[in-house]
Amino acid sequence: MNRNRFSLPNLGIGLGLRTVHYAHILEHAPAVDWFEILSENYMQTKGRPLHFLDRVAERYPIAMHGVSLSIGGTDPLDRAYLAELKALRDRTKALWVSDHLCWTGVAGKNTHDLLPLPYTEESLRNVVSRVKQVQDVLGAPLALENPSTYVEYAGNTMKEWDFLAALASEADCALLLDVNNVYVSAYNHGFEPAEYFAAIPFDRVVQLHVSGHTNHGTHIVDTHIGPVIDPVWELLGEAYRKTGSSILLEWDAEIPSFEETHADALRAKEFITTAEPK
Amino acid sequence: MKPPLGAPPPLRDVQVWTIGAITGVEADADSRAVERFVTAGPRLSAAERFDIYRSGYHARLLECLLDDYPVLAAVLDRDDDGQFAALCRAYVDRHPSASPNLNAFGRHMASFCREAKLAAFPGFAARSSFASDLAALEWALVEVLHAETAPPLDIAALQAMPPESWTSARFIRSDALRLLRFEYPVNAVFIANRIDEVVPDVPPPSPNAVAVYRRDMQLWRMDLTPAMLGVLEPLVDGKSLGEALETVEAECTDPEVLAQTGANLMVWFREWVQAGFFTRVVLG
């Protein structure tokens, strides 16, 4: 059962669609609830990636997840990018489109990184305005994901969770809650995940992300490598209890076999069966 | 650039500084400058935290280029570990990404190899033309992978063509086909690398041509003899078969090439059609 205000369905436990798994998926049609695609992998192409995507989208529900919207940037929104994003949504019939609360570049230069925003009133006004423009183009709610971050700006005037809550309310957008990102940022910046969860408007959360990370001792990097650790699964269970949202495992490097990746995703069941939404 | 005291600095200023400091063009990216913009964490200083983004920038784009140029990387790093990374770092500085998408990020590599100066690897200069050829081959594979999919010409349609219409027929090329001329035998190097054979530092020059194409979603490479290229090149440029053969006769001075063309044309043509080089035929 989902509890989000956008009436978007709970698709179950899904996986990020990755190139190395194409052949297995098309040959064996595994019993996966749904797939999330990286939007940009299927943009600026007319060839093989779209061929495989079309085959997968015929069989499975799809959601789109982007990394290049740069919703917090100060360059004008890239209209050509938005048009292509909408075309991809129409093609895949994706149930929702998500990206990150971040910016990726400025002055025409793109780092292809998910850079943290200064959390200030000016920044909030900027993102609210841009989210509204994007939702107008898409004709649907945009879900924004809380980022994993490694620095905080000296000029911050609010906490990330307060910024996110205000943004969701003022722009009337959906949220994608990445519980691993909460864990990573909490470690890197020295706060408690409970502080984050206390501020999140869970009725706007339409999807949950979970993934592995790399702990360097001094800091954690959100690498999406390796199995998910139990404390992150426990955060997932808590978030699921509040949202009943679709769950997605991300695994982006050193990707194991499809079966192994899927088995890790299905570990979510251990943590959500005792945390059914009330 | 210094933020004003008190009020948060303007968002645009923060972002312009951040990009400059991450990409390495901001001269004021020392630890004191970083501390003006970002805070220290529980275990790392502001500069150490910011370095996570700085190191990630080049690493991310290097990974993208490695994905596009695995054979170039293997060849350059064979004796000089780190040469490909040095080439990529110079490439990223010369051609920073301006696009939201990385699919075309590596498109300048072949031309860049010819002009690149790698201070730490003076030996690169002697390999630059070879590296450029290899990069051109690998980039053609990337382009063909992303080229528009269209059904290939049905060989039955050819067989149904009246014989008298052949000379005026124009064959519309597939978007997923590239014809390339090389100074070095890079397709042989590509194959050798795949089967773990020893690749020479710089092979002797040996002018050649290769067709790179996609068939049934697989990427392929086909060596082309001078005679094959003589016919195929004008065809994919839009000339009719008759015009293509006239071009061969007018430009070719090698009687052996002319003899090969006459003897093998229909065999080659069938092979090219089966490989999906053409999507349709226009008569007259």
Side-chain angles (χ1 to χ4, degrees), chain B residues 257-273:
Chain B
V257 169
L258 284 172
Q260 275 184 26
T261 304
N264 298 308
L265 180 61
M266 294 313 292
V267 175
W268 297 340
F269 211 81
R270 175 177 287 270
E271 188 177 4
W272 297 339
V273 169

Side-chain angles (χ1 to χ4, degrees), chain A residues 2-10 89 95-97 131 135 139-144 167-176 201-207 243 245:
Chain A
N2 76 78
R3 299 173 56 176
N4 65 73
R5 64 167 60 206
F6 304 97
S7 300
L8 289 170
N10 178 352
R89 180 177 184 246
L95 288 159
W96 58 83
V97 177
V131 169
Q135 292 187 144
L142 171 72
L144 282 180
L167 164 65
S169 171
E170 292 185 35
D172 194 20
C173 68
L175 296 177
L176 190 171
F202 282 98
D203 64 330
R204 291 185 178 274
V205 175
V206 300
Q207 184 187 335
T243 64
S245 296

Side-chain angles (χ1 to χ4, degrees), chain A residues 11-62:
Chain A
L11 298 174
I13 299 171
L15 278 180
L17 180 63
R18 300 295 180 260
T19 313
V20 293
H21 293 154
Y22 281 164
H24 180 94
I25 294 165
L26 296 183
E27 186 177 344
H28 300 286
V32 180
D33 292 337
W34 62 289
F35 283 103
E36 180 189 79
I37 64 167
L38 288 172
S39 307
E40 289 77 8
N41 285 359
Y42 306 95
M43 297 165 72
Q44 297 286 299
T45 181
K46 297 174 179 174
R48 194 163 75 177
L50 287 177
H51 169 82
F52 286 113
L53 175 60
D54 289 344
R55 305 287 90 73
V56 174
E58 285 168 2
R59 290 184 176 176
Y60 299 94
I62 296 286

Side-chain angles (χ1 to χ4, degrees), chain B:
Chain B
M1 181 190 310
K2 291 183 180 178
L5 295 174
L11 178 61
R12 180 78 179 178
D13 289 356
V14 173
Q15 294 190 338
V16 168
W17 174 83
T18 301
I19 288 295
I22 286 175
T23 59
V25 298
E26 171 64 63
D28 197 25
D30 61 28
S31 58
R32 275 193 214 161
V34 171
E35 284 166 11
R36 285 204 299 272
F37 284 92
V38 304
T39 60
R43 304 168 201 87
L44 295 177
S45 69
E48 287 169 331
R49 276 150 63 97
F50 196 75
D51 268 347
I52 297 169
Y53 290 100
R54 296 179 71 171
S55 59
Y57 171 65
H58 280 98
R60 186 173 305 100
L61 295 175
L62 168 63
E63 188 180 321
C64 171
L65 293 171
L66 182 58
D67 205 37
D68 289 341
Y69 298 104
V71 182
L72 179 63
V75 167
L76 293 186
D77 286 348
R78 193 197 66 161
D79 297 323
D80 290 314
D81 196 26
Q83 189 168 138
F84 181 71
L87 177 70
C88 291
R89 187 169 180 105
Y91 181 92
V92 169
D93 291 342
R94 174 72 178 80
H95 298 288
S97 175
S99 167
N101 195 295
L102 282 168
N103 283 349
F105 175 61
R107 66 192 180 281
H108 305 294
M109 184 59 89
S111 58
F112 183 72
C113 282
R114 292 192 187 278
E115 70 184 51
K117 304 278 189 293
L118 306 181
F121 298 98
F124 179 79
R127 314 168 80 181
S128 62
S129 294
F130 167 51
S132 176
D133 270 7
L134 195 47
L137 176 65
E138 295 200 275
W139 188 250
L141 288 161
V142 174
E143 285 190 331
V144 164
L145 184 142
H146 290 294
E148 187 158 17
T149 301
L153 177 62
D154 185 354
I155 203 150
L158 282 184
Q159 289 164 341
M161 278 171 53
E164 64 274 16
S165 65
W166 271 83
T167 53
S168 62
R170 292 177 197 280
F171 295 87
I172 309 303
R173 61 173 291 176
S174 165
D175 279 348
L177 168 69
R178 298 289 182 279
L179 301 184
L180 302 116
R181 294 171 183 266
F182 296 116
E183 184 183 353
Y184 291 89
V186 285
N187 193 29
V189 171
F190 192 99
I191 294 166
N193 182 71
R194 280 223 168 151
I195 58 177
D196 292 332
E197 279 187 0
V198 175
V199 177
D201 186 35
V202 181
S206 171
N208 66 96
V210 177
V212 175
Y213 60 101
R214 197 179 75 217
R215 173 72 168 155
D216 297 332
M217 294 300 148
Q218 295 291 317
L219 304 182
W220 300 95
R221 303 167 326 280
M222 181 190 292
D223 286 319
L224 300 172
T225 64
M228 293 162 86
L229 187 67
V231 180
L232 188 54
E233 212 165 37
L235 278 182
V236 301
D237 284 345
K239 291 189 173 166
S240 70
L241 183 57
E243 291 167 339
L245 293 174
E246 284 171 14
T247 303
V248 172
E249 286 176 10
E251 295 180 0
C252 183
T253 55
D254 186 339
E256 190 179 332
V257 169
L258 284 172
Q260 275 184 26
T261 304
N264 298 308
L265 180 61
M266 294 313 292
V267 175
W268 297 340
F269 211 81
R270 175 177 287 270
E271 188 177 4
W272 297 339
V273 169
Q274 287 176 335
F277 284 11
F278 308 108
T279 57
R280 60 194 172 91
V281 59
V282 178
L283 298 180

